[in-house]
Amino acid sequence: MPSKNAGKLWSNRRLQIAVGVVAAFLLLYFLTDKIFMPLYTRQGSERPVPKLLGLTAGQARGVAQSVGFTIVEEPAKAGTGADPGTIIEQHPFAGAMAKPGRKIHIVPALEAMRGEVPDVVGLDLRDAQLRVRNVGLISGDTDVRYKFTDKTPKGTVVSQDPTPGKTAEPGTVVKITISMGPQPEHFFVPYMMEKPLADARTMLREAGLKMGKITRKETDQYASGTVIAQSLHSGDEVGRDTPVDIVVAVKPGTGPAPAASEAPPAPKPGKP
């Protein structure tokens, strides 16, 4: 009988130990999840990043420190329309949630300086625009013109406005004229079928012709954005600046089909 009671007591003891271990584990998990980890990560202490754009670096530093953030000032950049020394960029952005002590990187505006317009005559379009942008000036696709001329090789800059050497404020637009080579004696309609719209524009311009009406037609037989019909046959001899209407494919369901009045008159497939 004593041995039987002893076995029963030992079994109860093991059960008590197991229950105690589980209870201790649960207590440790609760303390870690609800107390220790929030203290370590400062959970719930996030606050919105203040708006610093338009402030001076000194003002931005004062505002940031008042709400528990620190400022890191990055090198200044040219800011169109911004007063020199005022903040034109900040990271994180205003309104983002961050913990106290987070660093906010700011970029002040650089004082605008007048500079000389570079000479880009004779360069190709890409190099010319890159040189213009490198000195803080602007030259985009809408600032480019084309003309027939034998003054410079085809594809290179024949003239610019402002002219080289003039002083200009940062952000000044530089207009560029690209040579299309000598003017041909005859003008022929190019074959634009299944060409992307951008390529069709270039082909017409280089042929001395103009883009006419553009009609879009839903179809799954051609790649979206490609020419599927043109109003004049390829190879036809026409006068300079003759407009050529085209039809461009779009994916079915991307929009209503154009009205009949929008379609070019009697478009005919091109022929090679």
Side-chain angles (χ1 to χ4, degrees):
M1 289 298 292
S3 61
K4 185 175 181 179
N5 289 336
K8 186 175 181 180
L9 289 174
W10 174 242
S11 178
N12 290 339
R13 180 61 177 168
R14 285 193 301 177
L15 179 61
Q16 291 174 353
I17 292 173
V19 171
V21 169
V22 172
F25 176 78
L26 292 174
L27 178 61
L28 179 61
Y29 175 80
F30 176 82
L31 293 174
T32 300
D33 184 58
K34 301 298 183 181
I35 299 177
F36 299 136
M37 286 303 294
L39 288 175
Y40 178 75
T41 62
R42 290 183 287 183
Q43 182 177 341
S45 63
E46 294 91 349
R47 59 193 63 178
V49 173
K51 180 180 179 181
L52 306 177
L53 300 181
L55 303 180
T56 64
Q59 292 171 334
R61 188 170 284 105
V63 171
Q65 290 176 349
S66 69
V67 290
F69 297 108
T70 58
I71 288 294
V72 176
E73 187 173 344
E74 303 290 350
K77 293 182 180 179
T80 304
D83 294 331
T86 58
I87 308 305
I88 56 175
E89 294 181 16
Q90 71 172 84
H91 306 282
F93 299 112
M97 301 302 292
K99 296 172 185 175
R102 173 71 184 270
K103 294 179 180 179
I104 304 177
H105 295 256
I106 60 172
V107 179
L110 188 66
E111 183 176 359
M113 299 180 63
R114 294 171 62 89
E116 286 191 357
V117 177
D119 185 357
V120 298
V121 174
L123 301 180
D124 62 30
L125 177 60
R126 180 180 178 278
D127 289 343
Q129 290 185 323
L130 184 61
R131 183 170 296 187
V132 166
R133 294 165 184 166
N134 283 344
V135 295
L137 306 181
I138 296 173
S139 181
D141 293 340
T142 58
D143 306 314
V144 180
R145 301 293 182 269
Y146 297 85
K147 66 178 292 186
F148 288 111
T149 179
D150 54 6
K151 291 183 178 180
T152 61
K154 180 179 179 180
T156 59
V157 179
V158 65
S159 64
Q160 64 180 89
D161 181 27
T163 55
K166 282 193 173 182
T167 55
E169 300 286 351
T172 298
V173 173
V174 178
K175 296 181 180 180
I176 293 173
T177 301
I178 300 294
S179 169
M180 294 195 298
Q183 179 172 309
E185 296 180 2
H186 304 278
F187 299 88
F188 299 95
V189 178
Y191 181 73
M192 299 178 288
M193 293 294 295
E194 299 187 48
K195 298 291 185 181
L197 178 58
D199 291 353
R201 292 183 187 277
T202 300
M203 294 170 70
L204 285 172
R205 182 178 63 242
E206 293 180 347
L209 309 181
K210 290 184 176 180
M211 178 66 75
K213 294 181 180 179
I214 301 174
T215 302
R216 288 169 172 79
K217 181 179 180 180
E218 295 184 3
T219 177
D220 56 4
Q221 297 181 355
Y222 298 90
S224 181
T226 59
V227 178
I228 59 175
Q230 56 187 78
S231 61
L232 297 176
H233 287 297
S234 61
D236 286 352
E237 184 174 353
V238 295
R240 180 179 176 178
D241 292 333
T242 297
V244 182
D245 302 331
I246 63 172
V247 178
V248 177
V250 295
K251 293 181 179 179
T254 56
S261 59
E262 298 177 341
K268 297 176 284 187
K271 62 182 180 182

